Amino acid sequence: MSNAGFGGTDLFSMIVFSGAFWEGWSDMIDAMQVGALILLAIVAIAWIRRRLRRSVAIAVVVAALLLAVALPQRVDAAEVRRGRSILVPAGDVIHNDLIAAGPSVRIDGTVEGDVIAFTRNLTVTGHVTGDVIGFAGETVIDGIVDGNVRVFSRSVILQGSVGKNVTAFANTVDLISRANVGGGMILLAAEADLDGKMQRDLLGLAGRTDLDGLIGGQAWIHGGNLTVESNADIRGPATFQGPQQPVVESGAKLASPIQTEITPDVRRNRRSVARVAIRAIFSYAGALVVGILLLVIFPGFFRATLREAGSIGLPIGIGALALIAGAFLVILGILLVFIGVGAGVAGAMAYAPILYVAQVFVGAWLGNKLMGVPPPVTSAMIGRMAAGLLIVRVAGLIPILGGFVWLAVLLWGTGAVLLGFYRMSRLESAPPEAPLPA
């Protein structure tokens, strides 16, 4: 990333805060983001070097090599543009991939490669020979894209030509009547109006779907309702799952009748309440078992982390910084997956174990506060941890309030775990004291 023009400081702010989502926050959180990334790097390096030793080191090296091999080309070959308004004028040709970040990105010329954009408004009226990968507020494809279109956006309007496939996660997706998709479409949207042509399959999860165009393959749609209008032409088998029968207007061309599976609304009854209770019991038991294993296998780390949880304020602050950095990793992981690197998921999910065990240490701290500091006996510590973890779990089931409880637990516990890693690495790296002379 550094070779491509991204500095260590502005990479995070560019992706998350400079125009893509919240404009103008970069100055305010600059110190926070750098501190979080530095802290996480120190903790990760110390832990791998001191604790995990050869087997995990080999796994990390192999994963890095696989990631490097899987990348389609060197990142430093891409052209990077950042600014308030990024424009590729009509007639201009970029003989390279384009990475663009800013409030507005518009491609009127030709890009001989991929376009990766982080912006509020992404418009393509020119020609892109590769893929268009966008994280945008609004996305409009009104030109020619030879590859795939893969976007996270509030609204997506497709009125040009896409040579391969379309993947869209959006509130609204509009496939205009003159649009043509050479491959298939995968949609996750609240509303989808599909009036254009797609030559292959449709996979859609949408609250409302209107079909009035061509689907050259099969269609599988799950959602609230489906309307097949008179000009629709579905040339493969079609399946719909939803709470009501689809509406098929006269004149619609179907290869076969739509296979419909009615999914009734889930109502809170005794059976559903029992399922929730059983799931909560097993979740509590699983968290308690993880806590017991940590206490038995890593007693030093468990006690160090529990001590850090007692300071409350500092671990909550560190946890907030860590989750900010984690949001960056999730975005980067999604981007890597879209480009074709499965290792992006592994990188983005590196936080999952820390987030899960956060509840264990918050619960143990609560148990100590309620029942007093335990004697140095494992059974006493387990009893207090079980009581505190039960309180956390029950509070987390309360509607609305439970969300705030879990947010506090994640911030508090994550910060305590990271501080525990840090303290343990400092203790292990400290030189042994010299013996006193006789």
mmCIF file of all heavy atoms in Angstrom, residues 224-269:
data_model
loop_
_atom_site.group_PDB
_atom_site.id
_atom_site.type_symbol
_atom_site.label_atom_id
_atom_site.label_comp_id
_atom_site.label_asym_id
_atom_site.label_seq_id
_atom_site.Cartn_x
_atom_site.Cartn_y
_atom_site.Cartn_z
ATOM 1 N N GLY A 224 -39.938 -10.344 0.426
ATOM 2 C CA GLY A 224 -41.291 -10.055 0.873
ATOM 3 C C GLY A 224 -42.329 -10.315 -0.199
ATOM 4 O O GLY A 224 -43.332 -10.994 0.034
ATOM 5 N N ASN A 225 -42.120 -9.754 -1.402
ATOM 6 C CA ASN A 225 -43.075 -10.000 -2.475
ATOM 7 C C ASN A 225 -42.368 -9.927 -3.817
ATOM 8 O O ASN A 225 -41.316 -9.305 -3.956
ATOM 9 C CB ASN A 225 -44.252 -9.019 -2.421
ATOM 10 C CG ASN A 225 -43.783 -7.566 -2.500
ATOM 11 O OD1 ASN A 225 -43.349 -7.110 -3.563
ATOM 12 N ND2 ASN A 225 -43.868 -6.845 -1.389
ATOM 13 N N LEU A 226 -42.983 -10.561 -4.817
ATOM 14 C CA LEU A 226 -42.435 -10.624 -6.167
ATOM 15 C C LEU A 226 -43.542 -10.321 -7.163
ATOM 16 O O LEU A 226 -44.633 -10.895 -7.081
ATOM 17 C CB LEU A 226 -41.858 -12.019 -6.444
ATOM 18 C CG LEU A 226 -41.494 -12.338 -7.900
ATOM 19 C CD1 LEU A 226 -40.377 -11.436 -8.389
ATOM 20 C CD2 LEU A 226 -41.107 -13.806 -8.045
ATOM 21 N N THR A 227 -43.240 -9.415 -8.104
ATOM 22 C CA THR A 227 -44.163 -9.097 -9.177
ATOM 23 C C THR A 227 -43.473 -9.354 -10.517
ATOM 24 O O THR A 227 -42.403 -8.786 -10.782
ATOM 25 C CB THR A 227 -44.623 -7.630 -9.112
ATOM 26 O OG1 THR A 227 -45.273 -7.385 -7.863
ATOM 27 C CG2 THR A 227 -45.596 -7.328 -10.246
ATOM 28 N N VAL A 228 -44.052 -10.229 -11.329
ATOM 29 C CA VAL A 228 -43.538 -10.518 -12.664
ATOM 30 C C VAL A 228 -44.451 -9.815 -13.652
ATOM 31 O O VAL A 228 -45.611 -10.213 -13.840
ATOM 32 C CB VAL A 228 -43.493 -12.033 -12.931
ATOM 33 C CG1 VAL A 228 -42.905 -12.312 -14.304
ATOM 34 C CG2 VAL A 228 -42.663 -12.732 -11.854
ATOM 35 N N GLU A 229 -43.948 -8.760 -14.279
ATOM 36 C CA GLU A 229 -44.787 -7.939 -15.140
ATOM 37 C C GLU A 229 -44.897 -8.533 -16.540
ATOM 38 O O GLU A 229 -44.245 -9.530 -16.881
ATOM 39 C CB GLU A 229 -44.235 -6.514 -15.168
ATOM 40 C CG GLU A 229 -44.216 -5.873 -13.779
ATOM 41 C CD GLU A 229 -43.764 -4.434 -13.802
ATOM 42 O OE1 GLU A 229 -43.592 -3.877 -14.907
ATOM 43 O OE2 GLU A 229 -43.582 -3.848 -12.713
ATOM 44 N N SER A 230 -45.727 -7.887 -17.352
ATOM 45 C CA SER A 230 -46.138 -8.479 -18.630
ATOM 46 C C SER A 230 -44.992 -8.641 -19.620
ATOM 47 O O SER A 230 -45.031 -9.533 -20.470
ATOM 48 C CB SER A 230 -47.249 -7.628 -19.267
ATOM 49 O OG SER A 230 -46.803 -6.281 -19.442
ATOM 50 N N ASN A 231 -43.977 -7.798 -19.548
ATOM 51 C CA ASN A 231 -42.868 -7.889 -20.501
ATOM 52 C C ASN A 231 -41.744 -8.806 -20.029
ATOM 53 O O ASN A 231 -40.716 -8.917 -20.699
ATOM 54 C CB ASN A 231 -42.297 -6.491 -20.775
ATOM 55 C CG ASN A 231 -43.274 -5.602 -21.514
ATOM 56 O OD1 ASN A 231 -44.038 -6.067 -22.345
ATOM 57 N ND2 ASN A 231 -43.260 -4.314 -21.187
ATOM 58 N N ALA A 232 -41.893 -9.446 -18.879
ATOM 59 C CA ALA A 232 -40.837 -10.292 -18.333
ATOM 60 C C ALA A 232 -40.671 -11.558 -19.172
ATOM 61 O O ALA A 232 -41.630 -12.090 -19.743
ATOM 62 C CB ALA A 232 -41.144 -10.662 -16.887
ATOM 63 N N ASP A 233 -39.432 -12.031 -19.221
ATOM 64 C CA ASP A 233 -39.112 -13.256 -19.955
ATOM 65 C C ASP A 233 -38.084 -14.041 -19.141
ATOM 66 O O ASP A 233 -36.912 -13.683 -19.092
ATOM 67 C CB ASP A 233 -38.561 -12.904 -21.332
ATOM 68 C CG ASP A 233 -38.308 -14.151 -22.192
ATOM 69 O OD1 ASP A 233 -38.583 -15.270 -21.716
ATOM 70 O OD2 ASP A 233 -37.812 -13.993 -23.328
ATOM 71 N N ILE A 234 -38.536 -15.092 -18.466
ATOM 72 C CA ILE A 234 -37.664 -15.927 -17.642
ATOM 73 C C ILE A 234 -37.491 -17.249 -18.363
ATOM 74 O O ILE A 234 -38.441 -18.041 -18.481
ATOM 75 C CB ILE A 234 -38.260 -16.145 -16.236
ATOM 76 C CG1 ILE A 234 -38.519 -14.805 -15.553
ATOM 77 C CG2 ILE A 234 -37.310 -16.988 -15.380
ATOM 78 C CD1 ILE A 234 -39.177 -14.923 -14.188
ATOM 79 N N ARG A 235 -36.281 -17.525 -18.836
ATOM 80 C CA ARG A 235 -36.039 -18.667 -19.708
ATOM 81 C C ARG A 235 -35.538 -19.900 -18.971
ATOM 82 O O ARG A 235 -35.156 -20.883 -19.594
ATOM 83 C CB ARG A 235 -35.059 -18.272 -20.808
ATOM 84 C CG ARG A 235 -35.590 -17.148 -21.673
ATOM 85 C CD ARG A 235 -34.643 -16.744 -22.770
ATOM 86 N NE ARG A 235 -35.217 -15.681 -23.598
ATOM 87 C CZ ARG A 235 -34.598 -15.111 -24.627
ATOM 88 N NH1 ARG A 235 -33.357 -15.508 -24.956
ATOM 89 N NH2 ARG A 235 -35.183 -14.147 -25.302
ATOM 90 N N GLY A 236 -35.473 -19.853 -17.663
ATOM 91 C CA GLY A 236 -35.069 -21.009 -16.866
ATOM 92 C C GLY A 236 -36.048 -21.209 -15.728
ATOM 93 O O GLY A 236 -37.024 -20.452 -15.571
ATOM 94 N N PRO A 237 -35.853 -22.239 -14.915
ATOM 95 C CA PRO A 237 -36.735 -22.451 -13.772
ATOM 96 C C PRO A 237 -36.644 -21.307 -12.782
ATOM 97 O O PRO A 237 -35.579 -20.722 -12.575
ATOM 98 C CB PRO A 237 -36.224 -23.769 -13.175
ATOM 99 C CG PRO A 237 -34.814 -23.889 -13.661
ATOM 100 C CD PRO A 237 -34.772 -23.235 -15.007
ATOM 101 N N ALA A 238 -37.748 -20.974 -12.144
ATOM 102 C CA ALA A 238 -37.817 -19.864 -11.201
ATOM 103 C C ALA A 238 -38.374 -20.358 -9.873
ATOM 104 O O ALA A 238 -39.339 -21.137 -9.841
ATOM 105 C CB ALA A 238 -38.674 -18.733 -11.750
ATOM 106 N N THR A 239 -37.762 -19.885 -8.783
ATOM 107 C CA THR A 239 -38.185 -20.254 -7.432
ATOM 108 C C THR A 239 -38.343 -18.989 -6.613
ATOM 109 O O THR A 239 -37.484 -18.098 -6.658
ATOM 110 C CB THR A 239 -37.159 -21.183 -6.766
ATOM 111 O OG1 THR A 239 -36.985 -22.354 -7.562
ATOM 112 C CG2 THR A 239 -37.623 -21.590 -5.372
ATOM 113 N N PHE A 240 -39.425 -18.924 -5.859
ATOM 114 C CA PHE A 240 -39.660 -17.778 -4.979
ATOM 115 C C PHE A 240 -39.999 -18.272 -3.588
ATOM 116 O O PHE A 240 -40.844 -19.148 -3.416
ATOM 117 C CB PHE A 240 -40.793 -16.896 -5.511
ATOM 118 C CG PHE A 240 -41.161 -15.781 -4.574
ATOM 119 C CD1 PHE A 240 -40.304 -14.706 -4.382
ATOM 120 C CD2 PHE A 240 -42.354 -15.816 -3.862
ATOM 121 C CE1 PHE A 240 -40.638 -13.671 -3.516
ATOM 122 C CE2 PHE A 240 -42.701 -14.790 -2.988
ATOM 123 C CZ PHE A 240 -41.841 -13.715 -2.824
ATOM 124 N N GLN A 241 -39.344 -17.675 -2.588
ATOM 125 C CA GLN A 241 -39.643 -17.954 -1.178
ATOM 126 C C GLN A 241 -40.051 -16.658 -0.516
ATOM 127 O O GLN A 241 -39.295 -15.684 -0.523
ATOM 128 C CB GLN A 241 -38.432 -18.553 -0.466
ATOM 129 C CG GLN A 241 -38.010 -19.912 -0.981
ATOM 130 C CD GLN A 241 -36.803 -20.467 -0.242
ATOM 131 O OE1 GLN A 241 -36.241 -19.803 0.620
ATOM 132 N NE2 GLN A 241 -36.390 -21.674 -0.580
ATOM 133 N N GLY A 242 -41.239 -16.629 0.040
ATOM 134 C CA GLY A 242 -41.725 -15.424 0.680
ATOM 135 C C GLY A 242 -43.034 -15.673 1.391
ATOM 136 O O GLY A 242 -43.591 -16.774 1.344
ATOM 137 N N PRO A 243 -43.562 -14.631 2.043
ATOM 138 C CA PRO A 243 -44.787 -14.806 2.835
ATOM 139 C C PRO A 243 -46.069 -14.839 2.015
ATOM 140 O O PRO A 243 -47.141 -15.109 2.563
ATOM 141 C CB PRO A 243 -44.762 -13.589 3.763
ATOM 142 C CG PRO A 243 -44.005 -12.553 2.998
ATOM 143 C CD PRO A 243 -42.975 -13.294 2.209
ATOM 144 N N GLN A 244 -46.004 -14.532 0.707
ATOM 145 C CA GLN A 244 -47.208 -14.522 -0.113
ATOM 146 C C GLN A 244 -46.897 -14.971 -1.532
ATOM 147 O O GLN A 244 -45.747 -14.991 -1.954
ATOM 148 C CB GLN A 244 -47.821 -13.116 -0.137
ATOM 149 C CG GLN A 244 -46.877 -12.046 -0.631
ATOM 150 C CD GLN A 244 -47.430 -10.645 -0.450
ATOM 151 O OE1 GLN A 244 -48.522 -10.469 0.084
ATOM 152 N NE2 GLN A 244 -46.696 -9.655 -0.891
ATOM 153 N N GLN A 245 -47.946 -15.318 -2.257
ATOM 154 C CA GLN A 245 -47.783 -15.798 -3.619
ATOM 155 C C GLN A 245 -47.279 -14.669 -4.524
ATOM 156 O O GLN A 245 -47.659 -13.515 -4.362
ATOM 157 C CB GLN A 245 -49.127 -16.311 -4.165
ATOM 158 C CG GLN A 245 -49.615 -17.590 -3.525
ATOM 159 C CD GLN A 245 -48.840 -18.812 -4.010
ATOM 160 O OE1 GLN A 245 -48.158 -18.767 -5.032
ATOM 161 N NE2 GLN A 245 -48.947 -19.909 -3.272
ATOM 162 N N PRO A 246 -46.385 -14.980 -5.488
ATOM 163 C CA PRO A 246 -45.947 -13.948 -6.429
ATOM 164 C C PRO A 246 -47.088 -13.555 -7.372
ATOM 165 O O PRO A 246 -47.982 -14.348 -7.660
ATOM 166 C CB PRO A 246 -44.801 -14.629 -7.177
ATOM 167 C CG PRO A 246 -45.091 -16.084 -7.087
ATOM 168 C CD PRO A 246 -45.756 -16.285 -5.764
ATOM 169 N N VAL A 247 -47.012 -12.307 -7.848
ATOM 170 C CA VAL A 247 -48.007 -11.802 -8.795
ATOM 171 C C VAL A 247 -47.410 -11.916 -10.196
ATOM 172 O O VAL A 247 -46.366 -11.319 -10.481
ATOM 173 C CB VAL A 247 -48.378 -10.338 -8.485
ATOM 174 C CG1 VAL A 247 -49.341 -9.802 -9.549
ATOM 175 C CG2 VAL A 247 -48.981 -10.230 -7.101
ATOM 176 N N VAL A 248 -48.059 -12.677 -11.074
ATOM 177 C CA VAL A 248 -47.596 -12.877 -12.446
ATOM 178 C C VAL A 248 -48.638 -12.283 -13.379
ATOM 179 O O VAL A 248 -49.778 -12.784 -13.463
ATOM 180 C CB VAL A 248 -47.368 -14.362 -12.759
ATOM 181 C CG1 VAL A 248 -46.862 -14.537 -14.185
ATOM 182 C CG2 VAL A 248 -46.374 -14.972 -11.769
ATOM 183 N N GLU A 249 -48.284 -11.216 -14.080
ATOM 184 C CA GLU A 249 -49.217 -10.561 -14.978
ATOM 185 C C GLU A 249 -49.336 -11.344 -16.294
ATOM 186 O O GLU A 249 -48.421 -12.085 -16.683
ATOM 187 C CB GLU A 249 -48.767 -9.126 -15.252
ATOM 188 C CG GLU A 249 -48.753 -8.249 -14.001
ATOM 189 C CD GLU A 249 -48.369 -6.817 -14.325
ATOM 190 O OE1 GLU A 249 -48.051 -6.537 -15.496
ATOM 191 O OE2 GLU A 249 -48.387 -5.978 -13.392
ATOM 192 N N SER A 250 -50.454 -11.148 -16.953
ATOM 193 C CA SER A 250 -50.671 -11.815 -18.235
ATOM 194 C C SER A 250 -49.695 -11.271 -19.273
ATOM 195 O O SER A 250 -49.376 -10.077 -19.295
ATOM 196 C CB SER A 250 -52.110 -11.575 -18.713
ATOM 197 O OG SER A 250 -52.359 -10.191 -18.877
ATOM 198 N N GLY A 251 -49.199 -12.131 -20.099
ATOM 199 C CA GLY A 251 -48.215 -11.755 -21.105
ATOM 200 C C GLY A 251 -46.795 -12.103 -20.716
ATOM 201 O O GLY A 251 -45.902 -12.122 -21.576
ATOM 202 N N ALA A 252 -46.537 -12.357 -19.424
ATOM 203 C CA ALA A 252 -45.193 -12.733 -18.987
ATOM 204 C C ALA A 252 -44.830 -14.105 -19.539
ATOM 205 O O ALA A 252 -45.652 -15.024 -19.555
ATOM 206 C CB ALA A 252 -45.110 -12.739 -17.466
ATOM 207 N N LYS A 253 -43.597 -14.254 -19.994
ATOM 208 C CA LYS A 253 -43.121 -15.507 -20.563
ATOM 209 C C LYS A 253 -42.304 -16.260 -19.513
ATOM 210 O O LYS A 253 -41.286 -15.767 -19.049
ATOM 211 C CB LYS A 253 -42.267 -15.239 -21.804
ATOM 212 C CG LYS A 253 -43.014 -14.529 -22.922
ATOM 213 C CD LYS A 253 -42.097 -14.257 -24.108
ATOM 214 C CE LYS A 253 -42.822 -13.518 -25.219
ATOM 215 N NZ LYS A 253 -41.912 -13.231 -26.359
ATOM 216 N N LEU A 254 -42.762 -17.445 -19.169
ATOM 217 C CA LEU A 254 -42.094 -18.264 -18.166
ATOM 218 C C LEU A 254 -41.768 -19.621 -18.772
ATOM 219 O O LEU A 254 -42.620 -20.238 -19.436
ATOM 220 C CB LEU A 254 -42.967 -18.451 -16.921
ATOM 221 C CG LEU A 254 -43.462 -17.177 -16.217
ATOM 222 C CD1 LEU A 254 -44.359 -17.542 -15.054
ATOM 223 C CD2 LEU A 254 -42.282 -16.348 -15.749
ATOM 224 N N ALA A 255 -40.547 -20.105 -18.522
ATOM 225 C CA ALA A 255 -40.185 -21.436 -19.007
ATOM 226 C C ALA A 255 -40.990 -22.504 -18.297
ATOM 227 O O ALA A 255 -41.280 -23.563 -18.876
ATOM 228 C CB ALA A 255 -38.684 -21.673 -18.802
ATOM 229 N N SER A 256 -41.353 -22.245 -17.058
ATOM 230 C CA SER A 256 -42.168 -23.166 -16.267
ATOM 231 C C SER A 256 -42.821 -22.351 -15.161
ATOM 232 O O SER A 256 -42.355 -21.257 -14.838
ATOM 233 C CB SER A 256 -41.313 -24.298 -15.679
ATOM 234 O OG SER A 256 -40.300 -23.773 -14.848
ATOM 235 N N PRO A 257 -43.894 -22.845 -14.566
ATOM 236 C CA PRO A 257 -44.521 -22.109 -13.468
ATOM 237 C C PRO A 257 -43.528 -21.860 -12.326
ATOM 238 O O PRO A 257 -42.640 -22.670 -12.053
ATOM 239 C CB PRO A 257 -45.666 -23.032 -13.031
ATOM 240 C CG PRO A 257 -45.959 -23.867 -14.234
ATOM 241 C CD PRO A 257 -44.638 -24.065 -14.922
ATOM 242 N N ILE A 258 -43.685 -20.730 -11.672
ATOM 243 C CA ILE A 258 -42.783 -20.370 -10.576
ATOM 244 C C ILE A 258 -43.043 -21.289 -9.389
ATOM 245 O O ILE A 258 -44.182 -21.421 -8.913
ATOM 246 C CB ILE A 258 -42.983 -18.898 -10.169
ATOM 247 C CG1 ILE A 258 -42.634 -17.981 -11.347
ATOM 248 C CG2 ILE A 258 -42.126 -18.552 -8.958
ATOM 249 C CD1 ILE A 258 -42.870 -16.507 -11.060
ATOM 250 N N GLN A 259 -41.980 -21.939 -8.926
ATOM 251 C CA GLN A 259 -42.081 -22.779 -7.733
ATOM 252 C C GLN A 259 -42.082 -21.865 -6.505
ATOM 253 O O GLN A 259 -41.119 -21.134 -6.265
ATOM 254 C CB GLN A 259 -40.909 -23.756 -7.670
ATOM 255 C CG GLN A 259 -40.836 -24.707 -8.856
ATOM 256 C CD GLN A 259 -42.015 -25.655 -8.904
ATOM 257 O OE1 GLN A 259 -42.488 -26.152 -7.881
ATOM 258 N NE2 GLN A 259 -42.518 -25.902 -10.120
ATOM 259 N N THR A 260 -43.145 -21.917 -5.747
ATOM 260 C CA THR A 260 -43.328 -20.991 -4.628
ATOM 261 C C THR A 260 -43.321 -21.740 -3.310
ATOM 262 O O THR A 260 -43.982 -22.774 -3.167
ATOM 263 C CB THR A 260 -44.645 -20.224 -4.771
ATOM 264 O OG1 THR A 260 -44.668 -19.545 -6.031
ATOM 265 C CG2 THR A 260 -44.791 -19.212 -3.656
ATOM 266 N N GLU A 261 -42.574 -21.196 -2.376
ATOM 267 C CA GLU A 261 -42.556 -21.738 -1.010
ATOM 268 C C GLU A 261 -42.972 -20.615 -0.064
ATOM 269 O O GLU A 261 -42.276 -19.613 0.075
ATOM 270 C CB GLU A 261 -41.166 -22.246 -0.642
ATOM 271 C CG GLU A 261 -41.072 -22.795 0.777
ATOM 272 C CD GLU A 261 -39.681 -23.274 1.131
ATOM 273 O OE1 GLU A 261 -38.863 -23.453 0.203
ATOM 274 O OE2 GLU A 261 -39.396 -23.449 2.341
ATOM 275 N N ILE A 262 -44.121 -20.774 0.562
ATOM 276 C CA ILE A 262 -44.632 -19.749 1.463
ATOM 277 C C ILE A 262 -43.948 -19.890 2.812
ATOM 278 O O ILE A 262 -43.939 -20.974 3.419
ATOM 279 C CB ILE A 262 -46.157 -19.873 1.626
ATOM 280 C CG1 ILE A 262 -46.844 -19.735 0.261
ATOM 281 C CG2 ILE A 262 -46.664 -18.811 2.591
ATOM 282 C CD1 ILE A 262 -46.595 -18.416 -0.409
ATOM 283 N N THR A 263 -43.362 -18.813 3.267
ATOM 284 C CA THR A 263 -42.691 -18.796 4.573
ATOM 285 C C THR A 263 -43.512 -17.936 5.509
ATOM 286 O O THR A 263 -43.491 -16.704 5.418
ATOM 287 C CB THR A 263 -41.272 -18.232 4.444
ATOM 288 O OG1 THR A 263 -41.335 -16.931 3.844
ATOM 289 C CG2 THR A 263 -40.413 -19.114 3.562
ATOM 290 N N PRO A 264 -44.275 -18.538 6.417
ATOM 291 C CA PRO A 264 -45.145 -17.755 7.309
ATOM 292 C C PRO A 264 -44.322 -16.891 8.250
ATOM 293 O O PRO A 264 -43.177 -17.191 8.575
ATOM 294 C CB PRO A 264 -45.931 -18.831 8.066
ATOM 295 C CG PRO A 264 -45.058 -20.048 8.004
ATOM 296 C CD PRO A 264 -44.351 -19.979 6.684
ATOM 297 N N ASP A 265 -44.943 -15.793 8.677
ATOM 298 C CA ASP A 265 -44.289 -14.911 9.636
ATOM 299 C C ASP A 265 -44.032 -15.649 10.937
ATOM 300 O O ASP A 265 -44.849 -16.437 11.420
ATOM 301 C CB ASP A 265 -45.153 -13.675 9.920
ATOM 302 C CG ASP A 265 -45.316 -12.811 8.686
ATOM 303 O OD1 ASP A 265 -44.421 -12.868 7.825
ATOM 304 O OD2 ASP A 265 -46.341 -12.098 8.592
ATOM 305 N N VAL A 266 -42.871 -15.392 11.506
ATOM 306 C CA VAL A 266 -42.512 -16.022 12.775
ATOM 307 C C VAL A 266 -43.216 -15.290 13.909
ATOM 308 O O VAL A 266 -43.070 -14.084 14.062
ATOM 309 C CB VAL A 266 -40.982 -15.972 12.980
ATOM 310 C CG1 VAL A 266 -40.617 -16.594 14.313
ATOM 311 C CG2 VAL A 266 -40.286 -16.689 11.832
ATOM 312 N N ARG A 267 -43.986 -16.008 14.675
ATOM 313 C CA ARG A 267 -44.714 -15.416 15.805
ATOM 314 C C ARG A 267 -44.107 -15.932 17.103
ATOM 315 O O ARG A 267 -43.664 -17.062 17.213
ATOM 316 C CB ARG A 267 -46.202 -15.781 15.741
ATOM 317 C CG ARG A 267 -46.859 -15.335 14.436
ATOM 318 C CD ARG A 267 -48.336 -15.681 14.436
ATOM 319 N NE ARG A 267 -48.949 -15.314 13.188
ATOM 320 C CZ ARG A 267 -49.369 -14.099 12.863
ATOM 321 N NH1 ARG A 267 -49.215 -13.120 13.741
ATOM 322 N NH2 ARG A 267 -49.927 -13.862 11.697
ATOM 323 N N ARG A 268 -44.130 -15.038 18.098
ATOM 324 C CA ARG A 268 -43.594 -15.405 19.407
ATOM 325 C C ARG A 268 -44.620 -16.290 20.123
ATOM 326 O O ARG A 268 -45.660 -15.849 20.553
ATOM 327 C CB ARG A 268 -43.309 -14.158 20.248
ATOM 328 C CG ARG A 268 -42.234 -13.272 19.643
ATOM 329 C CD ARG A 268 -41.874 -12.151 20.589
ATOM 330 N NE ARG A 268 -41.336 -12.652 21.836
ATOM 331 C CZ ARG A 268 -40.076 -12.963 22.029
ATOM 332 N NH1 ARG A 268 -39.213 -12.848 21.039
ATOM 333 N NH2 ARG A 268 -39.653 -13.393 23.191
ATOM 334 N N ASN A 269 -44.303 -17.546 20.206
ATOM 335 C CA ASN A 269 -45.149 -18.476 20.931
ATOM 336 C C ASN A 269 -44.267 -19.255 21.895
ATOM 337 O O ASN A 269 -43.080 -18.988 22.036
ATOM 338 C CB ASN A 269 -45.903 -19.409 19.975
ATOM 339 C CG ASN A 269 -44.949 -20.033 18.956
ATOM 340 O OD1 ASN A 269 -43.785 -20.303 19.270
ATOM 341 N ND2 ASN A 269 -45.431 -20.253 17.740
#
